[in-house]
Amino acid sequence: MTETGQRVRRRRTARTFWSFVAPMALGVTIFVLTPIVWGLTLSFSSAQTTIRPTRFVGLANYLQILSDPAFRHSLVLVVVFALLIVPGTLALSLCLALLVNATPWGKGIFRTIFFIPTACSYVVASAVWRMSLFNGLPTGLANRVAGWFGQDPVAWIGQLDPPLYWFVLVTVRLWLQVGFYMIIFTAGLQEIPQELYEAARIDRVRNVFQELRYITLPLLRNTTISVAVVCLIGAFQAFDEFYNILGSAGGGAQGNLSLAMPPLVYLYSIAFRGQNYGLGSAGGFVLTIVIVVFTLVQGKLLGLNRGQNN
Amino acid sequence: MARTTDAHRRRAGRVGRRVALYAVLIGLSLLFLLPYYIILRNALSTRAQITGFQWVWFPSHPDWSNLADLLHASSPVLRAMLNSAVIATVQTVAQLAVAATAGYGLARIGYRHANKVFLLLLGTLMVPSAVTFVPTFAVVAALGWINTLLGIIMPGVFSVFTMFIFRQAFLDFPRDLEEAGRLDGLGPWGVFLRVVLPNSVGVTVALGTISFIWSWNGFLWPLVVGQDESTWTIQVALSTFLNSYNLNLPGLFAASLLSVLPVMLLFLVLQRHIAQGVKMSGLKG
């Protein structure tokens, strides 16, 4: 083939390729890359009541947001939240997957029941949790059940001490997402070859717990890691349930949100209520760094186990 | 004799274990269904029945007026439902179209720099989307799309993750079929549209239903961009009712019930596909 023929063909391939990929590349450029660059620019600029950077201010936004006790508190809060949510979700969703897998009949029904909260939104679940289940009045369901055991009604949401709102916030997220991760674990379980269990039985691995310890859990490691990563990133970006369970009329960071404000709610309030987009963007990048660090630390922890077990 | 008692005991142990297993599963099931039951009960109760001192398991005369009150022409809830339906449908269809074509281009068109483009796109997954919502708002504002459905829809259309899944699926697509299409005189687009897509219904439906549900249930972005009542999604409307001074409790739950129904139907009909989609999403990191 001649040199020019090759070049013509190469150019035609490039044209075909871009006819397929251009819409995605263009969209990602506009709606993902531009915001990242614009956000970085904003974070180093003064941009109040305007989305355009007006003046370069160096690290001022970063220094301001890092010295803000409310923001630092929100970071601590979301770390605690993630520490409750990630192990809780891993344990519960794995348990559900194992339980459903162990049933001789009715697998489909149970799986549907545990999976169906995936269809519910955080807003609707928040309404149920706040208005009915954990209503602070004696008529709230949790208080009614407590009443049967002779307990006085408690304010689940509205008080700092004891911080019962943690229970409300953690259970709503668990209910909404545990079934989702159960499905992922179920897929992981189905990939474990049955012969391994038979071989183990010959090697005197008899009870369920030994099977779990020596076969199931080690072979689910990759599934566990990916579930933990998605779950962690999700927890760090918690917004909906905090905003809707702790929020109040008028929106923003009033009412019970002063008890527990995660970073995204805080950024929402400074960017869209306070109209300080420079500060909001700086906070966004700080949060990104925190998420990346924790994801790496978690990966390291889960990866270290691998070294010990082998 | 000793052997039979042993066998007996073992069988009794197995039966006991099964009873315990089902007891735990049924208990958990009731707990998991409880919130849905609450929505239904509250939606059909009067305020007095919901907040009354006597617990009412289910109203003996269901109060349908809560639901009926929402179903009139100028109802903000219906309007919001319609907005959500438009947003979720357009976003899902557009997302599938953009992601599938890009996924195919990356998987099958032998462009020299295809891998570089792929890695560049994949790299954007490193930045959590909710974290860039402030500058994304700036971009949408610069385009003049605040308080428009377009502004709510567009940033969610370009899903690198969906593209990634499509690319993986197309890499496994049987080359013989594509070759047969080419011999019939089809070009790359013809092969893609007439051969590859019709044979990739499974992955498309799986990703589509997941995307629709996420779009329908999404809250933060529509809250930021669709502040005006005319662009409220159903989630923003519900949140506004929940956080209002004069809360209409049965009305809130009736609207919640309405908002859950379409997704629930979709969910029950397409459950198998959704589970498939979830398994694929499990790779996301």
Side-chain angles (χ1 to χ4, degrees):
Chain A
M1 191 178 285
T2 61
E3 186 118 331
T4 36
Q6 210 163 19
R7 201 173 301 154
V8 166
R9 185 196 273 203
R10 208 179 261 171
R11 204 173 299 155
R12 196 185 301 146
T13 310
R15 235 189 345 251
T16 312
F17 176 83
W18 285 112
S19 75
F20 278 98
V21 180
M24 177 60 96
L26 200 67
V28 167
T29 308
I30 297 173
F31 293 105
V32 183
L33 294 177
T34 308
I36 292 173
V37 175
W38 197 329
L40 268 176
T41 317
L42 281 172
S43 75
F44 291 111
S45 312
S46 167
Q48 295 195 28
T49 69
T50 167
I51 51 162
R52 277 161 232 284
T54 45
R55 186 166 47 82
F56 181 77
V57 294
L59 288 170
N61 285 323
Y62 286 93
L63 292 175
Q64 188 185 341
I65 199 142
L66 284 172
S67 61
D68 180 349
F71 183 67
R72 287 207 306 251
H73 182 243
S74 81
L75 288 179
V76 174
L77 177 108
V78 87
V79 170
V80 175
F81 184 66
L83 287 177
L84 293 170
I85 285 292
V86 177
T89 306
L90 285 178
L92 252 174
S93 51
L94 181 60
C95 275
L96 289 180
L98 290 169
L99 284 174
V100 173
N101 225 33
T103 49
W105 48 263
K107 275 193 177 72
I109 298 171
F110 287 121
R111 207 166 275 153
T112 304
I113 291 174
F114 297 139
F115 188 31
I116 217 166
T118 306
C120 191
S121 73
Y122 272 89
V123 179
V124 170
S126 297
V128 175
W129 255 248
R130 173 177 168 182
M131 289 299 162
S132 271
L133 294 183
F134 295 103
N135 188 329
L137 299 172
T139 53
L141 194 61
N143 279 341
R144 254 186 238 269
V145 173
W148 296 338
F149 297 100
Q151 298 286 317
D152 288 330
V154 291
W156 288 94
I157 295 163
Q159 60 183 10
L160 191 58
D161 192 37
L164 294 170
Y165 57 84
W166 276 110
F167 188 74
V168 181
L169 292 166
V170 168
T171 49
V172 72
R173 184 168 279 251
L174 287 181
W175 180 72
L176 280 163
Q177 73 179 17
V178 159
F180 182 89
Y181 293 117
M182 172 198 73
I183 295 291
I184 298 175
F185 273 121
T186 306
L189 282 177
Q190 281 159 359
E191 272 168 27
I192 300 177
Q194 219 45 45
E195 300 89 70
L196 275 181
Y197 292 102
E198 283 151 26
R201 229 160 278 146
I202 296 164
D203 280 348
R204 300 214 199 112
V205 170
R206 286 188 191 280
N207 65 44
V208 186
F209 295 103
Q210 284 185 331
E211 275 184 8
L212 214 66
R213 168 87 175 73
Y214 293 110
I215 305 172
T216 315
L217 290 183
L219 285 172
L220 281 179
R221 179 169 293 115
N222 288 338
T223 312
T224 312
I225 291 174
S226 72
V227 166
V229 168
V230 182
C231 189
L232 183 86
I233 295 174
F236 269 102
Q237 298 182 66
F239 179 88
D240 301 8
E241 73 268 50
F242 284 85
Y243 184 93
N244 287 300
I245 291 179
L246 302 178
S248 60
Q254 308 144 12
N256 295 320
L257 267 174
S258 57
L259 298 177
M261 187 161 32
L264 236 51
V265 176
Y266 178 82
L267 294 179
Y268 170 83
S269 70
I270 52 172
F272 298 111
R273 307 230 160 232
Q275 303 245 308
N276 193 337
Y277 299 106
L279 199 60
S281 299
F285 283 102
V286 172
L287 180 59
T288 308
I289 292 166
V290 172
I291 292 176
V292 170
V293 167
F294 272 85
T295 310
L296 291 177
V297 167
Q298 179 182 265
K300 199 103 194 178
L301 286 177
L302 292 170
L304 274 182
N305 277 339
R306 181 208 302 262
Q308 283 164 0
N309 281 349
N310 291 351
Chain B
M1 194 61 208
R3 192 172 289 164
T4 40
T5 36
D6 208 34
H8 264 294
R9 200 177 303 145
R10 214 175 303 147
R11 193 182 307 152
R14 198 164 54 213
V15 170
R17 224 177 301 140
R18 273 194 192 165
V19 170
L21 178 67
Y22 277 105
V24 170
L25 279 173
I26 290 170
L28 281 171
S29 297
L30 293 177
L31 215 55
F32 269 73
L33 290 174
L34 180 70
Y36 279 117
Y37 152 72
I38 297 268
I39 296 171
L40 191 64
R41 165 190 173 266
N42 288 3
L44 299 178
S45 298
T46 61
R47 190 188 176 93
Q49 282 166 326
I50 298 176
T51 58
F53 201 72
Q54 193 65 41
W55 176 258
V56 183
W57 280 107
F58 207 79
S60 45
H61 301 287
D63 186 357
W64 296 99
S65 69
N66 302 323
L67 280 168
D69 284 350
L70 302 174
L71 302 173
H72 58 84
S74 60
S75 155
V77 170
L78 271 195
R79 174 79 193 258
M81 292 268 289
L82 191 68
N83 282 344
S84 283
V86 170
I87 290 166
T89 308
V90 174
Q91 203 168 50
T92 302
V93 171
Q95 191 191 93
L96 290 176
V98 172
T101 47
Y104 186 75
L106 290 165
R108 280 293 201 254
I109 310 295
Y111 176 53
R112 277 187 303 167
H113 305 297
N115 259 335
K116 273 177 227 160
V117 175
F118 177 57
L119 288 178
L120 204 71
L121 288 171
L122 215 55
T124 61
L125 283 179
M126 301 279 283
V127 182
S129 64
V131 170
T132 53
F133 73 103
V134 177
T136 308
F137 176 83
V139 169
V140 168
L143 291 166
W145 290 350
I146 299 302
N147 285 324
T148 66
L149 297 190
L150 201 61
I152 301 176
I153 292 170
M154 283 304 269
V157 166
F158 306 95
S159 166
V160 172
F161 181 68
T162 307
M163 178 200 79
F164 174 75
I165 301 286
F166 269 120
R167 178 181 171 273
Q168 299 304 104
F170 294 147
L171 282 175
D172 292 338
F173 195 86
R175 278 186 187 272
D176 307 358
L177 278 178
E178 289 173 85
E179 201 49 51
R182 229 164 276 139
L183 288 177
D184 284 346
L186 295 174
W189 273 95
V191 170
F192 173 63
L193 292 173
R194 301 240 193 112
V195 180
V196 176
L197 268 194
N199 287 296
S200 307
V201 175
V203 63
T204 311
V205 174
L207 290 169
T209 33
I210 290 267
S211 157
F212 186 90
I213 292 177
W214 278 348
S215 183
W216 182 275
N217 287 341
F219 177 62
L220 174 55
W221 185 246
L223 176 73
V224 168
V225 177
Q227 299 136 334
D228 190 75
E229 194 178 330
S230 65
T231 52
W232 280 357
T233 63
I234 184 64
Q235 308 302 338
V236 174
L238 287 172
S239 170
T240 310
F241 300 149
L242 178 63
N243 286 318
S244 70
Y245 290 104
N246 45 355
L247 172 65
N248 168 5
L249 205 51
L252 171 71
F253 282 97
S256 297
L257 180 64
L258 269 188
S259 81
V260 168
L261 278 180
V263 191
M264 195 68 112
L265 274 177
L266 193 73
F267 192 91
L268 291 176
V269 174
L270 297 172
Q271 204 206 142
R272 209 167 284 271
H273 291 286
I274 300 174
Q276 202 57 43
V278 169
K279 283 170 199 167
M280 293 186 286
S281 320
L283 304 164
K284 188 174 183 174

